[in-house]
Amino acid sequence: MKSQIRIAKEARKKAFEPVMRKIFELCSDRINRRIDLILRTVDDTNETQNHNEKDARASLKYKIIENKEGKLAGGLDEDVVSHIIDGKCEPRRNLYLFPTKSAKEYYAAFRGILWFDGVYEILWGTVTEITTYLPIIFQMLCNAEIEEQDNLPSNSKKNNKLTDIRQVLSNFEGNGTDEQINHAYKKVSNLFFLEWMKFTTLRSDERKFTIADGSPNPTVVTPKTIKTRIDDTEENQYRGFYQLNIRLSEFANNQLYQVLTQGIMESL
């Protein structure tokens, strides 16, 4: 019989899976937009203009699979490349969208063929894109906290001295939770952006997260040690997707509450 602690941990992981899937969806959409951009560019420079989009997409995909500059013998797994482009996760191949053990080979192929500035842009987007999708992520994180707490037995909440997310949100204007979340984001958007950038870049630096091309500045770094080195992650550069639902739950349990609390204090 599973212990209450294990059940609670599994419930929390499950509560944050929708947020993780949303991030995977955003990543796949980003890749597809880049494919479309490249195909339009090819069309614009092709004098004959007899370009077949389906064949062109297949050709571009094959170049990614070949991964000529990579170290994997025989190139990349065709099905996994297709899954990444389609936003599909298969438990035995790419549970976290990119296969964890060989993630960097896939990063290199997508970056090189699709003209991304770096791995961070593939996974998380440019700063402009991040500011566009962050309100959705903020709302989903709050709702995940609410769902997880609603499903906990009352004695578990008391024993673990959990901070009630609804009680925290009640300090912001709005009739109902959704309005309170929206008002909370308007109040703490700048703080939340900073914490999100630190989370996705695995940095603790609080300066200059934007530069001219809209990407995180790789030269502004405060070293941060992480106990477990995951193959799809590069410290101080980008966070990979391995066990992202767990990492998101930790982020919500710490940084989200800190941001909300600071927003409340600034309103007093």
Side-chain angles (χ1 to χ4, degrees), residues 25 41 45 56-57 68 87 100 112 121 125 139 150 160 167 176 181 194 204 232 241 243 250 258:
E25 176 190 323
T41 304
T45 57
R57 287 183 74 89
K68 290 183 177 179
T100 303
E121 185 184 358
Q139 183 180 45
D150 285 350
N160 290 295
Q167 184 177 347
I181 291 173
L194 175 60
S204 57
D232 71 339
F241 288 163
Q243 294 187 336
E250 293 169 349
Q258 290 175 16

Side-chain angles (χ1 to χ4, degrees), residues 86-122:
D86 296 337
K88 178 181 177 182
C89 296
E90 187 178 296
R92 293 187 177 183
R93 287 185 170 180
N94 64 317
L95 178 59
Y96 299 103
L97 195 62
F98 289 88
T100 303
K101 290 183 179 180
S102 56
K104 291 181 180 178
E105 294 290 330
Y106 285 82
Y107 295 160
F110 278 95
R111 178 183 181 181
I113 301 300
L114 299 183
W115 309 343
F116 282 105
D117 287 338
V119 177
Y120 187 93
E121 185 184 358
I122 298 173

Side-chain angles (χ1 to χ4, degrees), residues 118-185:
V119 177
Y120 187 93
E121 185 184 358
I122 298 173
L123 299 176
W124 302 102
T126 64
V127 168
T128 301
E129 184 182 357
I130 291 168
T131 55
T132 300
Y133 70 65
L134 264 191
I136 300 171
I137 298 299
F138 180 85
Q139 183 180 45
M140 293 185 75
L141 288 171
C142 289
N143 285 330
E145 277 290 321
I146 291 170
E147 177 188 340
E148 191 264 341
Q149 289 188 9
D150 285 350
N151 291 330
L152 279 177
S154 57
N155 63 328
S156 178
K157 295 179 184 180
K158 184 177 180 181
N159 293 338
N160 290 295
K161 299 180 180 179
L162 291 177
T163 302
D164 191 321
I165 182 67
R166 292 183 191 276
Q167 184 177 347
V168 173
L169 290 170
S170 68
N171 289 278
F172 297 92
E173 295 180 13
N175 298 317
T177 305
D178 288 342
E179 285 190 15
Q180 289 169 350
I181 291 173
N182 289 334
H183 278 93
Y185 184 76

